[in-house]
Amino acid sequence: MLVATRRVVDECRRGRVPIDDRVVVWRRAAERAGNRAVAVIRLPGTAHAPVIGGREEIAAVSPLYERALVDWLARVTRSG
């Protein structure tokens, strides 16, 4: 299992792993590390970056990304 995980992580770094598979890798890694503060979400209209239309510029950042980040910060700072 560890070898498969390392292979998947390596493939992620090379951009060869679909987004849904990456989500699984991130969630498993957080769970194994005991990190309950990690949140992996999918934003409609985005791919690997939280931007709309594939334009990696600040003007293209999804408004849902800001909302998700603010919600996450509120959750993790209350739990501390």
Side-chain angles (χ1 to χ4, degrees):
M1 187 67 167
L2 182 58
V3 173
T5 301
R6 284 184 182 161
R7 182 186 57 75
V8 171
V9 170
D10 185 49
E11 293 294 307
C12 285
R13 287 186 186 133
R14 294 183 179 152
R16 297 182 187 157
V17 177
I19 295 169
D20 289 332
D21 293 343
R22 288 180 185 223
V23 168
V24 170
V25 169
W26 278 100
R27 287 185 175 148
R28 282 184 187 160
E31 184 179 321
R32 287 181 182 152
N35 188 340
R36 295 187 179 144
V38 170
V40 182
I41 62 169
R42 294 290 307 270
L43 299 172
T46 68
H48 294 285
V51 294
I52 297 171
R55 298 181 351 253
E56 294 198 23
E57 56 191 55
I58 196 73
V61 172
S62 169
L64 296 175
Y65 177 69
E66 179 183 357
R67 181 76 258 151
L69 185 57
V70 168
D71 290 348
W72 176 81
L73 284 169
R75 190 182 83 240
V76 298
T77 56
R78 277 195 306 263
S79 66

